Amino acid sequence: MRAGPMKQTLLSLSNLTKQFGGKTVLDSLDLDIYDGEFITLLGPSGCGKTTLLRLIAGFEQPDCGSISLSGVDLTGTPPEGRPLNTVFQHYALFPHMSVFDNVAYGLKMEKRPPDEIRDRVEEALAMVQLQDYARRKPQQLSGGQQQRVAIARAVVKRPRLLLLDEPLSALDYKLRRTMQVELKRLQRELGITFVFVTHDQEEALSMSDRVVVLKDGVVQQLGTPREVYERPANLFTARFVGETNFFPGNVDAVNDGDIIVDVFGLKRTLRKPDFELHPGQAVHVLLRPEDIRVLEPTDEQGLAGRIVERNYKGSTLDSVIHLDDGTEVLASEFFDEDDPAFDYRLGEPVRVSWVDGWEWLLPEESSNASVGSLTDDV
Amino acid sequence: MIRWLPRAWLMLIYGLLYVPIAVLVVFSFNDSRSGYTWGGLSLRWYETLFNNHAMVEAMWNSLWLALSAATVSTLIGGLTALALHRYRFRGKRVLNGMLFVVMMSPEIVLAISLLALFLLVGIQLGYVSLLLAHVTFCLPFVVITVMARLSGFDESLPEAARDLGASDFTMTRTVLIPVIMPALLAGWLLGFTLSLDDVVVSTFVSGPTYEILPLRIYSMVRVGLKPEVNALGTLLLVFSLVMLSLSQWILTRSKQ
């Protein structure tokens, strides 16, 4: 993990609350965004991520709480007075202006001299490889090109902070991948802090320095992509980020460094988790599909089951296994060079196990579990 | 047999639409005094028309009235549409509905009530009363045209402008108005044509000092159809065609 030289807070949100028609969209949210980082707000639709972005941009006013940028309170400042810019979901390019005029708009508002405007616009367009398109109208460009114009228009003012509202959601898969790489490159080159909103967990994991998982206006987890994926703070994060197998477990014994958990009658010695445990307690044993090992039916260890589905994914073979009691298990295995013909028949009996130490334990969901206790321990 | 049927039907419809206009144009070049017989090609009715000073004056009056009525109603109507679109306020639905009431109510009702109002307030019947009346009946059409455009308007455009440092006023001037310009132009043209050929309301609210073309023509045909009316009709037709092509040209250019 790349650790910045120092983590200086750029944008500080405290106790932000917003309601729309009596429905709480953001619930006393606190968040510090560091200077120069790529932070992603991740959550299902309606989780409050777009509202949060609009509050930062100044398009909405919070019901209570405050927003400050480098110590300067921005809460009542209108959008035009905030040193930050937004890339909109559907680009919001001005249809009656050329690409050049679109990018120049922000600089014209600052009343910059024409020479400077021309130089900076050309520089910004070169940065997104659109210098030859300056005279075109936005409608004459493809979706990806429009997206790049929108980015150029937002960064030409050299903002401290760039807000991106699901900017890649309207692009097709391949273009989205290209733009992800491009955005990362721009963020590195410009050194601007990016606040990126998405509902695509894969995008969030691959691009961000830190991820904020939001649900119902409350932060579920804040951490690096690795933390969020490997050590989810609660069942919501575990379900939302990536695919997960949940095995019901029961604590048999608690020792000094490890515990013994009974999973479907299988007793496994596991690492002791951070939360308090006592024998007899029910826990969730979380296993990502790639942690699962599928063994021969003759094997001694593991749980007996049958293959009910197999999906060839190119680099992996994904299978669905039903255990004898009906529990569904997802497994994702890499192809083995020694066995190129590796495959399963449907209905084939197998045994399911996992790599020791790759499991993650969560307590039986108490709905108000101490959120965030597992995070920020980098 | 079935194959030519749709084509024949189409020709019938277009014939019904265009034959009267064609007759009017052809007879405007008719040398005969009678409106029913062909007497050879001539421009004499155009000459008569332009020598008829009262007629030419009425034409200019009508053009000036239509121009000013369309402009005033576009200004007021454009702002009304923006207000109805952008702001949430008490009584918005009622105001919106009231526009339709003006549009749907019989013209004669509007004409009588306007006349009563002008007499009550003491406005002299003439240009001012005509202008007020024409603005009144053009307004709902402009508002509805502009609102239709605004309903398809990307709400993030004004936000993008504000985000880039434009004040609310600058945003309106540089983004909002240019984007809805085609609708403003369409509304203006609609108002212009409505005003130009209005008879019912104008009959009630015009005075002897300001004669307008539709009323002049109406009074002329009452005493018998004069061929110079054909010439006038042809001129008006050419004028509207030019206006129509102009508006189409502006619209397609702004779309690029």
Side-chain angles (χ1 to χ4, degrees), chain A residues 349-362:
Chain A
V350 289
R351 289 186 88 81
V352 170
S353 183
W354 69 87
V355 184
D356 263 327
W358 286 16
E359 75 288 328
W360 180 249
L361 292 184
L362 282 178

Side-chain angles (χ1 to χ4, degrees), chain B:
Chain B
M1 179 208 122
I2 294 302
R3 276 172 59 124
W4 55 261
L5 202 64
R7 190 165 298 198
W9 176 251
L10 205 65
M11 279 172 68
L12 180 71
I13 298 289
Y14 271 77
L16 279 172
L17 284 173
Y18 280 90
V19 163
I21 298 176
V23 167
L24 178 126
V25 174
V26 168
F27 272 81
S28 76
F29 297 105
N30 186 3
D31 198 26
S32 162
R33 184 152 248 307
S34 147
Y36 314 104
T37 50
W38 182 252
L41 206 64
S42 148
L43 286 175
R44 63 183 279 206
W45 301 119
Y46 287 90
E47 205 187 323
T48 322
L49 179 69
F50 284 108
N51 285 330
N52 185 343
H53 289 290
M55 184 71 108
V56 173
E57 201 195 316
M59 194 173 75
W60 284 122
N61 280 349
S62 258
L63 280 178
W64 174 242
L65 176 66
L67 208 74
S68 43
T71 308
V72 172
S73 45
T74 304
L75 285 176
I76 302 175
L79 287 172
T80 311
L82 276 180
L84 285 173
H85 176 77
R86 281 190 69 181
Y87 304 108
R88 267 177 236 170
F89 52 88
R90 200 184 264 277
K92 177 171 162 171
R93 288 170 67 96
V94 177
L95 275 181
N96 212 340
M98 278 165 71
L99 283 171
F100 283 93
V101 172
V102 174
M103 214 163 82
M104 305 299 277
S105 64
E107 231 183 321
I108 191 82
V109 176
L110 187 69
I112 293 167
S113 49
L114 279 170
L115 178 63
L117 177 75
F118 292 151
L119 293 179
L120 193 72
V121 180
I123 293 173
Q124 194 123 62
L125 294 184
Y127 172 69
V128 177
S129 63
L130 277 167
L131 178 67
L132 289 174
H134 283 209
V135 167
T136 308
F137 69 71
C138 289
L139 202 57
F141 291 94
V142 175
V143 176
I144 282 154
T145 314
V146 178
M147 287 237 299
R149 172 83 179 188
L150 281 171
S151 70
F153 182 74
D154 182 358
E155 286 309 317
S156 55
L157 286 183
E159 286 179 352
R162 296 291 298 276
D163 187 67
L164 292 165
S167 64
D168 201 36
F169 178 75
T170 313
M171 179 279 293
T172 307
R173 187 172 58 80
T174 56
V175 174
L176 195 53
I177 290 178
V179 171
I180 62 166
M181 197 41 124
L184 290 176
L185 280 177
W188 188 91
L189 269 172
L190 199 60
F192 185 83
T193 39
L194 283 173
S195 164
L196 198 61
D197 68 0
D198 176 74
V199 174
V200 180
V201 174
S202 304
T203 313
F204 280 77
V205 299
S206 69
T209 52
Y210 202 83
E211 197 177 25
I212 55 171
L213 200 58
L215 298 186
R216 174 85 206 166
I217 296 172
Y218 187 61
S219 60
M220 270 169 70
V221 276
R222 260 198 306 202
V223 292
L225 197 68
K226 286 195 180 134
E228 61 199 81
V229 172
N230 289 337
L232 183 66
T234 308
L235 287 179
L236 282 176
L237 187 70
V238 170
F239 178 73
S240 3
L241 280 177
V242 168
M243 292 286 283
L244 194 70
S245 327
L246 199 69
S247 70
Q248 285 299 318
W249 184 67
I250 291 170
L251 280 179
T252 46
R253 236 173 57 109
S254 69
K255 264 187 202 138
Q256 277 168 15

Side-chain angles (χ1 to χ4, degrees), chain A residues 32-319:
Chain A
D32 280 344
I33 293 169
Y34 302 138
D35 200 2
E37 78 171 328
F38 193 124
I39 192 165
T40 299
L41 309 177
L42 175 68
S45 56
C47 72
K49 55 193 193 299
T50 295
T51 304
L52 181 55
L53 204 73
R54 293 175 59 81
L55 286 173
I56 300 175
F59 303 138
E60 308 277 356
Q61 289 298 316
D63 296 334
C64 74
S66 70
I67 301 168
S68 63
L69 188 92
S70 324
V72 182
D73 186 54
L74 284 184
T75 316
T77 313
E80 63 265 32
R82 302 188 180 203
L84 44 89
N85 290 111
T86 309
V87 176
F88 292 85
Q89 186 171 7
H90 299 291
Y91 324 137
L93 298 177
F94 307 130
H96 58 297
M97 293 183 195
S98 67
V99 166
F100 182 94
D101 288 332
N102 262 284
V103 179
Y105 190 86
L107 297 174
K108 282 180 187 157
M109 290 303 125
E110 286 179 359
K111 301 209 161 46
R112 298 274 169 191
D115 287 352
E116 186 193 331
I117 292 180
R118 201 191 53 236
D119 292 347
R120 280 172 67 176
V121 170
E122 276 169 7
E123 188 191 342
L125 285 176
M127 194 179 65
V128 295
Q129 285 126 38
L130 283 176
Q131 54 273 59
D132 301 333
Y133 294 83
R135 296 192 166 279
R136 302 259 187 113
K137 286 282 177 70
Q139 305 88 295
Q140 297 169 304
L141 302 181
S142 70
Q145 288 169 333
Q146 290 187 29
Q147 178 63 83
R148 299 218 293 268
V149 176
I151 293 165
R153 185 178 70 174
V155 299
V156 76
K157 291 190 76 176
R158 297 173 191 153
R160 302 287 305 278
L161 191 71
L162 194 67
L163 307 173
L164 302 105
D165 184 9
E166 307 213 22
L168 309 181
S169 62
L171 304 177
D172 65 55
Y173 181 76
K174 204 160 174 226
L175 198 53
R176 205 158 68 218
R177 301 295 306 185
T178 318
M179 285 304 295
Q180 285 174 5
V181 176
E182 195 135 320
L183 274 177
K184 267 312 267 185
R185 175 183 66 85
L186 277 175
Q187 197 250 345
R188 263 197 313 272
E189 282 173 11
L190 297 165
I192 298 174
T193 307
F194 275 34
V195 181
F196 188 90
V197 161
T198 186
H199 62 265
D200 180 343
Q201 42 97 10
E202 205 180 309
E203 196 166 275
L205 294 182
S206 67
M207 297 176 79
S208 330
D209 295 324
R210 288 197 302 163
V211 178
V212 183
V213 183
L214 275 171
K215 183 198 161 206
D216 300 335
V218 176
V219 175
Q220 303 292 311
Q221 185 164 8
L222 166 64
T224 63
R226 183 175 285 259
E227 283 168 343
V228 169
Y229 187 76
E230 292 183 359
R231 291 185 276 159
N234 54 34
L235 289 180
F236 172 78
T237 309
R239 282 204 189 92
F240 190 73
V241 181
E243 302 213 77
T244 312
N245 296 301
F246 293 89
F247 289 154
N250 212 304
V251 181
D252 256 18
V254 181
N255 303 324
D256 276 347
D258 51 31
I259 57 171
I260 296 171
V261 176
D262 180 323
V263 181
F264 295 124
L266 192 75
K267 296 201 193 307
R268 298 274 297 233
T269 307
L270 307 176
R271 226 175 6 166
K272 199 172 169 181
D274 293 353
F275 56 91
E276 278 303 309
L277 277 177
H278 54 81
Q281 186 181 334
V283 290
H284 289 283
V285 180
L286 272 59
L287 287 158
R288 299 291 182 185
E290 60 272 20
D291 302 340
I292 298 287
R293 288 295 170 263
V294 183
L295 310 169
E296 296 291 319
T298 51
D299 213 294
E300 295 286 282
Q301 31 167 342
L303 306 155
R306 272 172 202 290
I307 302 277
V308 295
E309 215 181 299
R310 51 162 293 281
N311 286 310
Y312 175 75
K313 285 281 180 67
S315 55
T316 59
L317 181 71
D318 292 0
S319 44

